[in-house]
PDB file of all heavy atoms in Angstrom:
ATOM      1  N   MET A  26       0.818  -1.208   0.000  1.00 87.00           N
ATOM      2  CA  MET A  26       0.000   0.000   0.000  1.00 87.00           C
ATOM      3  C   MET A  26       0.850   1.255   0.000  1.00 87.00           C
ATOM      4  O   MET A  26       0.547   2.223  -0.699  1.00 87.00           O
ATOM      5  CB  MET A  26      -0.922   0.001   1.221  1.00 87.00           C
ATOM      6  CG  MET A  26      -1.823   1.224   1.322  1.00 87.00           C
ATOM      7  SD  MET A  26      -2.878   1.454  -0.145  1.00 87.00           S
ATOM      8  CE  MET A  26      -3.960   0.027   0.021  1.00 87.00           C
ATOM      9  N   ILE A  27       1.944   1.268   0.770  1.00 87.00           N
ATOM     10  CA  ILE A  27       2.786   2.455   0.839  1.00 87.00           C
ATOM     11  C   ILE A  27       3.420   2.748  -0.520  1.00 87.00           C
ATOM     12  O   ILE A  27       3.588   3.906  -0.916  1.00 87.00           O
ATOM     13  CB  ILE A  27       3.881   2.279   1.922  1.00 87.00           C
ATOM     14  CG1 ILE A  27       4.647   3.590   2.124  1.00 87.00           C
ATOM     15  CG2 ILE A  27       4.824   1.136   1.554  1.00 87.00           C
ATOM     16  CD1 ILE A  27       3.828   4.702   2.689  1.00 87.00           C
ATOM     17  N   GLU A  28       3.742   1.695  -1.271  1.00 85.00           N
ATOM     18  CA  GLU A  28       4.301   1.879  -2.609  1.00 85.00           C
ATOM     19  C   GLU A  28       3.244   2.431  -3.555  1.00 85.00           C
ATOM     20  O   GLU A  28       3.526   3.318  -4.377  1.00 85.00           O
ATOM     21  CB  GLU A  28       4.834   0.546  -3.137  1.00 85.00           C
ATOM     22  CG  GLU A  28       6.029   0.013  -2.378  1.00 85.00           C
ATOM     23  CD  GLU A  28       6.450  -1.373  -2.835  1.00 85.00           C
ATOM     24  OE1 GLU A  28       5.555  -2.153  -3.268  1.00 85.00           O
ATOM     25  OE2 GLU A  28       7.648  -1.672  -2.761  1.00 85.00           O
ATOM     26  N   LYS A  29       2.026   1.907  -3.460  1.00 87.00           N
ATOM     27  CA  LYS A  29       0.941   2.403  -4.315  1.00 87.00           C
ATOM     28  C   LYS A  29       0.710   3.895  -4.094  1.00 87.00           C
ATOM     29  O   LYS A  29       0.581   4.668  -5.050  1.00 87.00           O
ATOM     30  CB  LYS A  29      -0.344   1.630  -4.025  1.00 87.00           C
ATOM     31  CG  LYS A  29      -0.293   0.154  -4.388  1.00 87.00           C
ATOM     32  CD  LYS A  29      -1.602  -0.515  -4.024  1.00 87.00           C
ATOM     33  CE  LYS A  29      -1.570  -2.008  -4.339  1.00 87.00           C
ATOM     34  NZ  LYS A  29      -2.830  -2.685  -3.971  1.00 87.00           N
ATOM     35  N   LEU A  30       0.663   4.306  -2.829  1.00 87.00           N
ATOM     36  CA  LEU A  30       0.397   5.708  -2.514  1.00 87.00           C
ATOM     37  C   LEU A  30       1.515   6.606  -3.029  1.00 87.00           C
ATOM     38  O   LEU A  30       1.257   7.707  -3.550  1.00 87.00           O
ATOM     39  CB  LEU A  30       0.239   5.878  -0.999  1.00 87.00           C
ATOM     40  CG  LEU A  30      -0.988   5.202  -0.377  1.00 87.00           C
ATOM     41  CD1 LEU A  30      -0.971   5.363   1.138  1.00 87.00           C
ATOM     42  CD2 LEU A  30      -2.281   5.782  -0.959  1.00 87.00           C
ATOM     43  N   ALA A  31       2.755   6.148  -2.908  1.00 85.00           N
ATOM     44  CA  ALA A  31       3.893   6.956  -3.357  1.00 85.00           C
ATOM     45  C   ALA A  31       3.904   7.115  -4.867  1.00 85.00           C
ATOM     46  O   ALA A  31       4.098   8.223  -5.392  1.00 85.00           O
ATOM     47  CB  ALA A  31       5.195   6.309  -2.886  1.00 85.00           C
ATOM     48  N   TYR A  32       3.675   6.010  -5.586  1.00 88.00           N
ATOM     49  CA  TYR A  32       3.737   6.066  -7.050  1.00 88.00           C
ATOM     50  C   TYR A  32       2.532   6.779  -7.646  1.00 88.00           C
ATOM     51  O   TYR A  32       2.655   7.538  -8.617  1.00 88.00           O
ATOM     52  CB  TYR A  32       3.837   4.653  -7.621  1.00 88.00           C
ATOM     53  CG  TYR A  32       5.100   3.915  -7.233  1.00 88.00           C
ATOM     54  CD1 TYR A  32       5.112   2.538  -7.067  1.00 88.00           C
ATOM     55  CD2 TYR A  32       6.292   4.605  -7.021  1.00 88.00           C
ATOM     56  CE1 TYR A  32       6.277   1.858  -6.708  1.00 88.00           C
ATOM     57  CE2 TYR A  32       7.454   3.938  -6.660  1.00 88.00           C
ATOM     58  CZ  TYR A  32       7.440   2.572  -6.506  1.00 88.00           C
ATOM     59  OH  TYR A  32       8.592   1.910  -6.152  1.00 88.00           O
ATOM     60  N   ILE A  33       1.361   6.546  -7.073  1.00 89.00           N
ATOM     61  CA  ILE A  33       0.134   7.135  -7.616  1.00 89.00           C
ATOM     62  C   ILE A  33       0.115   8.652  -7.445  1.00 89.00           C
ATOM     63  O   ILE A  33      -0.502   9.365  -8.238  1.00 89.00           O
ATOM     64  CB  ILE A  33      -1.098   6.474  -6.967  1.00 89.00           C
ATOM     65  CG1 ILE A  33      -1.313   5.085  -7.571  1.00 89.00           C
ATOM     66  CG2 ILE A  33      -2.341   7.322  -7.141  1.00 89.00           C
ATOM     67  CD1 ILE A  33      -2.439   4.305  -6.938  1.00 89.00           C
ATOM     68  N   HIS A  34       0.806   9.153  -6.420  1.00 90.00           N
ATOM     69  CA  HIS A  34       0.814  10.606  -6.199  1.00 90.00           C
ATOM     70  C   HIS A  34       1.341  11.352  -7.416  1.00 90.00           C
ATOM     71  O   HIS A  34       0.902  12.472  -7.707  1.00 90.00           O
ATOM     72  CB  HIS A  34       1.658  10.942  -4.971  1.00 90.00           C
ATOM     73  CG  HIS A  34       1.771  12.416  -4.719  1.00 90.00           C
ATOM     74  ND1 HIS A  34       0.672  13.202  -4.405  1.00 90.00           N
ATOM     75  CD2 HIS A  34       2.837  13.270  -4.774  1.00 90.00           C
ATOM     76  CE1 HIS A  34       1.049  14.461  -4.258  1.00 90.00           C
ATOM     77  NE2 HIS A  34       2.361  14.532  -4.484  1.00 90.00           N
ATOM     78  N   LEU A  35       2.269  10.771  -8.143  1.00 92.00           N
ATOM     79  CA  LEU A  35       2.836  11.419  -9.319  1.00 92.00           C
ATOM     80  C   LEU A  35       2.223  10.888 -10.614  1.00 92.00           C
ATOM     81  O   LEU A  35       2.855  10.901 -11.661  1.00 92.00           O
ATOM     82  CB  LEU A  35       4.356  11.233  -9.347  1.00 92.00           C
ATOM     83  CG  LEU A  35       5.144  11.930  -8.240  1.00 92.00           C
ATOM     84  CD1 LEU A  35       6.646  11.727  -8.426  1.00 92.00           C
ATOM     85  CD2 LEU A  35       4.816  13.415  -8.178  1.00 92.00           C
ATOM     86  N   THR A  36       0.982  10.438 -10.529  1.00 91.00           N
ATOM     87  CA  THR A  36       0.279   9.948 -11.714  1.00 91.00           C
ATOM     88  C   THR A  36      -0.522  11.068 -12.362  1.00 91.00           C
ATOM     89  O   THR A  36      -1.268  11.783 -11.698  1.00 91.00           O
ATOM     90  CB  THR A  36      -0.669   8.791 -11.346  1.00 91.00           C
ATOM     91  OG1 THR A  36       0.080   7.698 -10.829  1.00 91.00           O
ATOM     92  CG2 THR A  36      -1.449   8.328 -12.567  1.00 91.00           C
ATOM     93  N   ALA A  37      -0.341  11.240 -13.653  1.00 88.00           N
ATOM     94  CA  ALA A  37      -1.128  12.187 -14.445  1.00 88.00           C
ATOM     95  C   ALA A  37      -1.378  11.540 -15.802  1.00 88.00           C
ATOM     96  O   ALA A  37      -0.903  10.431 -16.072  1.00 88.00           O
ATOM     97  CB  ALA A  37      -0.408  13.518 -14.581  1.00 88.00           C
ATOM     98  N   GLU A  38      -2.114  12.228 -16.649  1.00 85.00           N
ATOM     99  CA  GLU A  38      -2.524  11.627 -17.911  1.00 85.00           C
ATOM    100  C   GLU A  38      -1.370  11.061 -18.751  1.00 85.00           C
ATOM    101  O   GLU A  38      -1.481   9.943 -19.263  1.00 85.00           O
ATOM    102  CB  GLU A  38      -3.329  12.642 -18.742  1.00 85.00           C
ATOM    103  CG  GLU A  38      -4.753  12.864 -18.291  1.00 85.00           C
ATOM    104  CD  GLU A  38      -4.861  13.863 -17.145  1.00 85.00           C
ATOM    105  OE1 GLU A  38      -3.803  14.307 -16.633  1.00 85.00           O
ATOM    106  OE2 GLU A  38      -5.986  14.209 -16.749  1.00 85.00           O
ATOM    107  N   PRO A  39      -0.250  11.772 -18.912  1.00 88.00           N
ATOM    108  CA  PRO A  39       0.813  11.238 -19.780  1.00 88.00           C
ATOM    109  C   PRO A  39       1.417   9.924 -19.299  1.00 88.00           C
ATOM    110  O   PRO A  39       1.454   8.941 -20.056  1.00 88.00           O
ATOM    111  CB  PRO A  39       1.856  12.367 -19.765  1.00 88.00           C
ATOM    112  CG  PRO A  39       1.075  13.595 -19.482  1.00 88.00           C
ATOM    113  CD  PRO A  39       0.024  13.164 -18.518  1.00 88.00           C
ATOM    114  N   ASN A  40       1.908   9.870 -18.053  1.00 91.00           N
ATOM    115  CA  ASN A  40       2.535   8.621 -17.604  1.00 91.00           C
ATOM    116  C   ASN A  40       1.510   7.524 -17.352  1.00 91.00           C
ATOM    117  O   ASN A  40       1.819   6.336 -17.452  1.00 91.00           O
ATOM    118  CB  ASN A  40       3.419   8.849 -16.366  1.00 91.00           C
ATOM    119  CG  ASN A  40       2.648   9.305 -15.142  1.00 91.00           C
ATOM    120  OD1 ASN A  40       1.590   9.928 -15.254  1.00 91.00           O
ATOM    121  ND2 ASN A  40       3.192   9.023 -13.969  1.00 91.00           N
ATOM    122  N   TRP A  41       0.267   7.901 -17.075  1.00 90.00           N
ATOM    123  CA  TRP A  41      -0.810   6.915 -16.938  1.00 90.00           C
ATOM    124  C   TRP A  41      -1.051   6.218 -18.276  1.00 90.00           C
ATOM    125  O   TRP A  41      -1.090   4.982 -18.352  1.00 90.00           O
ATOM    126  CB  TRP A  41      -2.076   7.621 -16.463  1.00 90.00           C
ATOM    127  CG  TRP A  41      -3.319   6.786 -16.484  1.00 90.00           C
ATOM    128  CD1 TRP A  41      -3.704   5.840 -15.577  1.00 90.00           C
ATOM    129  CD2 TRP A  41      -4.362   6.844 -17.468  1.00 90.00           C
ATOM    130  NE1 TRP A  41      -4.922   5.296 -15.928  1.00 90.00           N
ATOM    131  CE2 TRP A  41      -5.342   5.893 -17.085  1.00 90.00           C
ATOM    132  CE3 TRP A  41      -4.567   7.595 -18.629  1.00 90.00           C
ATOM    133  CZ2 TRP A  41      -6.504   5.691 -17.833  1.00 90.00           C
ATOM    134  CZ3 TRP A  41      -5.720   7.393 -19.358  1.00 90.00           C
ATOM    135  CH2 TRP A  41      -6.676   6.450 -18.958  1.00 90.00           C
ATOM    136  N   ALA A  42      -1.187   7.015 -19.344  1.00 88.00           N
ATOM    137  CA  ALA A  42      -1.449   6.442 -20.665  1.00 88.00           C
ATOM    138  C   ALA A  42      -0.259   5.626 -21.156  1.00 88.00           C
ATOM    139  O   ALA A  42      -0.423   4.533 -21.715  1.00 88.00           O
ATOM    140  CB  ALA A  42      -1.770   7.563 -21.660  1.00 88.00           C
ATOM    141  N   LEU A  43       0.950   6.128 -20.944  1.00 91.00           N
ATOM    142  CA  LEU A  43       2.146   5.402 -21.376  1.00 91.00           C
ATOM    143  C   LEU A  43       2.289   4.076 -20.630  1.00 91.00           C
ATOM    144  O   LEU A  43       2.678   3.057 -21.218  1.00 91.00           O
ATOM    145  CB  LEU A  43       3.391   6.261 -21.148  1.00 91.00           C
ATOM    146  CG  LEU A  43       3.558   7.476 -22.079  1.00 91.00           C
ATOM    147  CD1 LEU A  43       4.696   8.366 -21.586  1.00 91.00           C
ATOM    148  CD2 LEU A  43       3.806   7.032 -23.506  1.00 91.00           C
ATOM    149  N   SER A  44       1.956   4.068 -19.342  1.00 92.00           N
ATOM    150  CA  SER A  44       2.071   2.841 -18.550  1.00 92.00           C
ATOM    151  C   SER A  44       1.054   1.802 -18.985  1.00 92.00           C
ATOM    152  O   SER A  44       1.376   0.614 -19.105  1.00 92.00           O
ATOM    153  CB  SER A  44       1.893   3.161 -17.058  1.00 92.00           C
ATOM    154  OG  SER A  44       2.917   4.011 -16.596  1.00 92.00           O
ATOM    155  N   LEU A  45      -0.181   2.231 -19.237  1.00 89.00           N
ATOM    156  CA  LEU A  45      -1.206   1.299 -19.698  1.00 89.00           C
ATOM    157  C   LEU A  45      -0.845   0.710 -21.052  1.00 89.00           C
ATOM    158  O   LEU A  45      -1.032  -0.488 -21.299  1.00 89.00           O
ATOM    159  CB  LEU A  45      -2.566   2.002 -19.780  1.00 89.00           C
ATOM    160  CG  LEU A  45      -3.287   2.277 -18.463  1.00 89.00           C
ATOM    161  CD1 LEU A  45      -4.637   2.935 -18.741  1.00 89.00           C
ATOM    162  CD2 LEU A  45      -3.505   0.987 -17.672  1.00 89.00           C
ATOM    163  N   SER A  46      -0.333   1.545 -21.939  1.00 87.00           N
ATOM    164  CA  SER A  46       0.055   1.074 -23.275  1.00 87.00           C
ATOM    165  C   SER A  46       1.188   0.064 -23.182  1.00 87.00           C
ATOM    166  O   SER A  46       1.164  -0.986 -23.848  1.00 87.00           O
ATOM    167  CB  SER A  46       0.480   2.268 -24.133  1.00 87.00           C
ATOM    168  OG  SER A  46       0.895   1.854 -25.414  1.00 87.00           O
ATOM    169  N   ARG A  47       2.180   0.324 -22.361  1.00 90.00           N
ATOM    170  CA  ARG A  47       3.312  -0.581 -22.208  1.00 90.00           C
ATOM    171  C   ARG A  47       2.887  -1.882 -21.533  1.00 90.00           C
ATOM    172  O   ARG A  47       3.371  -2.958 -21.884  1.00 90.00           O
ATOM    173  CB  ARG A  47       4.402   0.109 -21.388  1.00 90.00           C
ATOM    174  CG  ARG A  47       5.665  -0.724 -21.137  1.00 90.00           C
ATOM    175  CD  ARG A  47       6.614   0.050 -20.239  1.00 90.00           C
ATOM    176  NE  ARG A  47       7.757  -0.730 -19.803  1.00 90.00           N
ATOM    177  CZ  ARG A  47       8.944  -0.729 -20.390  1.00 90.00           C
ATOM    178  NH1 ARG A  47       9.146   0.017 -21.460  1.00 90.00           N
ATOM    179  NH2 ARG A  47       9.939  -1.460 -19.914  1.00 90.00           N
ATOM    180  N   LEU A  48       1.956  -1.782 -20.591  1.00 88.00           N
ATOM    181  CA  LEU A  48       1.494  -2.948 -19.849  1.00 88.00           C
ATOM    182  C   LEU A  48       0.837  -3.980 -20.756  1.00 88.00           C
ATOM    183  O   LEU A  48       0.845  -5.180 -20.474  1.00 88.00           O
ATOM    184  CB  LEU A  48       0.514  -2.508 -18.757  1.00 88.00           C
ATOM    185  CG  LEU A  48       0.084  -3.535 -17.719  1.00 88.00           C
ATOM    186  CD1 LEU A  48       1.293  -4.036 -16.921  1.00 88.00           C
ATOM    187  CD2 LEU A  48      -0.944  -2.934 -16.772  1.00 88.00           C
ATOM    188  N   GLU A  49       0.251  -3.515 -21.865  1.00 84.00           N
ATOM    189  CA  GLU A  49      -0.425  -4.421 -22.785  1.00 84.00           C
ATOM    190  C   GLU A  49       0.540  -5.196 -23.673  1.00 84.00           C
ATOM    191  O   GLU A  49       0.152  -6.191 -24.289  1.00 84.00           O
ATOM    192  CB  GLU A  49      -1.401  -3.638 -23.660  1.00 84.00           C
ATOM    193  CG  GLU A  49      -2.588  -3.070 -22.882  1.00 84.00           C
ATOM    194  CD  GLU A  49      -3.582  -2.395 -23.794  1.00 84.00           C
ATOM    195  OE1 GLU A  49      -3.317  -2.347 -25.017  1.00 84.00           O
ATOM    196  OE2 GLU A  49      -4.621  -1.928 -23.300  1.00 84.00           O
ATOM    197  N   THR A  50       1.779  -4.756 -23.752  1.00 86.00           N
ATOM    198  CA  THR A  50       2.725  -5.397 -24.664  1.00 86.00           C
ATOM    199  C   THR A  50       3.897  -6.090 -23.978  1.00 86.00           C
ATOM    200  O   THR A  50       4.535  -6.950 -24.568  1.00 86.00           O
ATOM    201  CB  THR A  50       3.299  -4.366 -25.659  1.00 86.00           C
ATOM    202  OG1 THR A  50       3.965  -3.328 -24.927  1.00 86.00           O
ATOM    203  CG2 THR A  50       2.181  -3.756 -26.490  1.00 86.00           C
ATOM    204  N   GLN A  51       4.158  -5.722 -22.704  1.00 88.00           N
ATOM    205  CA  GLN A  51       5.289  -6.322 -22.001  1.00 88.00           C
ATOM    206  C   GLN A  51       5.129  -6.162 -20.497  1.00 88.00           C
ATOM    207  O   GLN A  51       4.378  -5.279 -20.044  1.00 88.00           O
ATOM    208  CB  GLN A  51       6.603  -5.679 -22.449  1.00 88.00           C
ATOM    209  CG  GLN A  51       6.675  -4.176 -22.214  1.00 88.00           C
ATOM    210  CD  GLN A  51       7.941  -3.577 -22.772  1.00 88.00           C
ATOM    211  OE1 GLN A  51       9.028  -3.841 -22.301  1.00 88.00           O
ATOM    212  NE2 GLN A  51       7.788  -2.752 -23.824  1.00 88.00           N
ATOM    213  N   PRO A  52       5.827  -6.983 -19.699  1.00 87.00           N
ATOM    214  CA  PRO A  52       5.767  -6.830 -18.242  1.00 87.00           C
ATOM    215  C   PRO A  52       6.236  -5.437 -17.834  1.00 87.00           C
ATOM    216  O   PRO A  52       7.246  -4.942 -18.329  1.00 87.00           O
ATOM    217  CB  PRO A  52       6.732  -7.912 -17.738  1.00 87.00           C
ATOM    218  CG  PRO A  52       6.790  -8.915 -18.837  1.00 87.00           C
ATOM    219  CD  PRO A  52       6.661  -8.129 -20.112  1.00 87.00           C
ATOM    220  N   THR A  53       5.478  -4.822 -16.952  1.00 89.00           N
ATOM    221  CA  THR A  53       5.768  -3.453 -16.535  1.00 89.00           C
ATOM    222  C   THR A  53       5.629  -3.332 -15.028  1.00 89.00           C
ATOM    223  O   THR A  53       4.686  -3.878 -14.448  1.00 89.00           O
ATOM    224  CB  THR A  53       4.811  -2.454 -17.221  1.00 89.00           C
ATOM    225  OG1 THR A  53       4.888  -2.627 -18.646  1.00 89.00           O
ATOM    226  CG2 THR A  53       5.172  -1.025 -16.876  1.00 89.00           C
ATOM    227  N   SER A  54       6.543  -2.625 -14.400  1.00 90.00           N
ATOM    228  CA  SER A  54       6.483  -2.423 -12.957  1.00 90.00           C
ATOM    229  C   SER A  54       6.032  -1.002 -12.652  1.00 90.00           C
ATOM    230  O   SER A  54       6.082  -0.118 -13.523  1.00 90.00           O
ATOM    231  CB  SER A  54       7.859  -2.684 -12.328  1.00 90.00           C
ATOM    232  OG  SER A  54       8.689  -1.553 -12.464  1.00 90.00           O
ATOM    233  N   PRO A  55       5.605  -0.741 -11.418  1.00 92.00           N
ATOM    234  CA  PRO A  55       5.202   0.616 -11.040  1.00 92.00           C
ATOM    235  C   PRO A  55       6.320   1.643 -11.187  1.00 92.00           C
ATOM    236  O   PRO A  55       6.052   2.841 -11.260  1.00 92.00           O
ATOM    237  CB  PRO A  55       4.799   0.461  -9.568  1.00 92.00           C
ATOM    238  CG  PRO A  55       4.428  -0.972  -9.412  1.00 92.00           C
ATOM    239  CD  PRO A  55       5.351  -1.711 -10.333  1.00 92.00           C
ATOM    240  N   LEU A  56       7.576   1.176 -11.248  1.00 92.00           N
ATOM    241  CA  LEU A  56       8.684   2.106 -11.404  1.00 92.00           C
ATOM    242  C   LEU A  56       8.636   2.836 -12.743  1.00 92.00           C
ATOM    243  O   LEU A  56       9.122   3.961 -12.869  1.00 92.00           O
ATOM    244  CB  LEU A  56      10.018   1.365 -11.264  1.00 92.00           C
ATOM    245  CG  LEU A  56      10.409   0.948  -9.843  1.00 92.00           C
ATOM    246  CD1 LEU A  56      11.678   0.114  -9.867  1.00 92.00           C
ATOM    247  CD2 LEU A  56      10.591   2.179  -8.962  1.00 92.00           C
ATOM    248  N   PHE A  57       8.054   2.208 -13.760  1.00 94.00           N
ATOM    249  CA  PHE A  57       7.894   2.868 -15.052  1.00 94.00           C
ATOM    250  C   PHE A  57       6.960   4.065 -14.895  1.00 94.00           C
ATOM    251  O   PHE A  57       7.245   5.168 -15.386  1.00 94.00           O
ATOM    252  CB  PHE A  57       7.337   1.891 -16.082  1.00 94.00           C
ATOM    253  CG  PHE A  57       7.189   2.469 -17.460  1.00 94.00           C
ATOM    254  CD1 PHE A  57       8.247   2.455 -18.351  1.00 94.00           C
ATOM    255  CD2 PHE A  57       5.989   3.040 -17.869  1.00 94.00           C
ATOM    256  CE1 PHE A  57       8.119   2.994 -19.627  1.00 94.00           C
ATOM    257  CE2 PHE A  57       5.844   3.584 -19.139  1.00 94.00           C
ATOM    258  CZ  PHE A  57       6.911   3.561 -20.018  1.00 94.00           C
ATOM    259  N   LEU A  58       5.847   3.856 -14.206  1.00 93.00           N
ATOM    260  CA  LEU A  58       4.894   4.936 -13.927  1.00 93.00           C
ATOM    261  C   LEU A  58       5.568   6.030 -13.110  1.00 93.00           C
ATOM    262  O   LEU A  58       5.415   7.221 -13.395  1.00 93.00           O
ATOM    263  CB  LEU A  58       3.693   4.376 -13.172  1.00 93.00           C
ATOM    264  CG  LEU A  58       2.644   5.378 -12.698  1.00 93.00           C
ATOM    265  CD1 LEU A  58       1.771   5.826 -13.862  1.00 93.00           C
ATOM    266  CD2 LEU A  58       1.762   4.756 -11.610  1.00 93.00           C
ATOM    267  N   PHE A  59       6.326   5.623 -12.099  1.00 93.00           N
ATOM    268  CA  PHE A  59       6.984   6.574 -11.206  1.00 93.00           C
ATOM    269  C   PHE A  59       8.050   7.383 -11.939  1.00 93.00           C
ATOM    270  O   PHE A  59       8.185   8.593 -11.720  1.00 93.00           O
ATOM    271  CB  PHE A  59       7.597   5.818 -10.025  1.00 93.00           C
ATOM    272  CG  PHE A  59       8.134   6.717  -8.946  1.00 93.00           C
ATOM    273  CD1 PHE A  59       7.313   7.622  -8.299  1.00 93.00           C
ATOM    274  CD2 PHE A  59       9.468   6.645  -8.574  1.00 93.00           C
ATOM    275  CE1 PHE A  59       7.810   8.453  -7.298  1.00 93.00           C
ATOM    276  CE2 PHE A  59       9.976   7.467  -7.579  1.00 93.00           C
ATOM    277  CZ  PHE A  59       9.142   8.374  -6.939  1.00 93.00           C
ATOM    278  N   GLY A  60       8.808   6.721 -12.810  1.00 94.00           N
ATOM    279  CA  GLY A  60       9.817   7.434 -13.591  1.00 94.00           C
ATOM    280  C   GLY A  60       9.200   8.512 -14.460  1.00 94.00           C
ATOM    281  O   GLY A  60       9.717   9.633 -14.553  1.00 94.00           O
TER     282      GLY A  60
END
């Protein structure tokens, strides 16, 4: 939960869309969203 809260705080439309797109084609970790 603490990781979810930390990563989600910096979630906005661009990295959200990029993460969802990448998730459909290859394994993706929350660090991609956070980066």
Side-chain angles (χ1 to χ4, degrees):
M26 180 57 68
I27 187 66
E28 293 174 329
K29 295 178 182 179
L30 293 176
Y32 296 148
I33 284 176
H34 177 64
L35 293 183
T36 298
E38 284 83 355
N40 64 333
W41 171 79
L43 289 170
S44 297
L45 285 182
S46 178
R47 180 184 172 96
L48 190 61
E49 292 184 358
T50 60
Q51 59 185 293
T53 305
S54 82
L56 286 175
F57 182 87
L58 175 77
F59 188 59

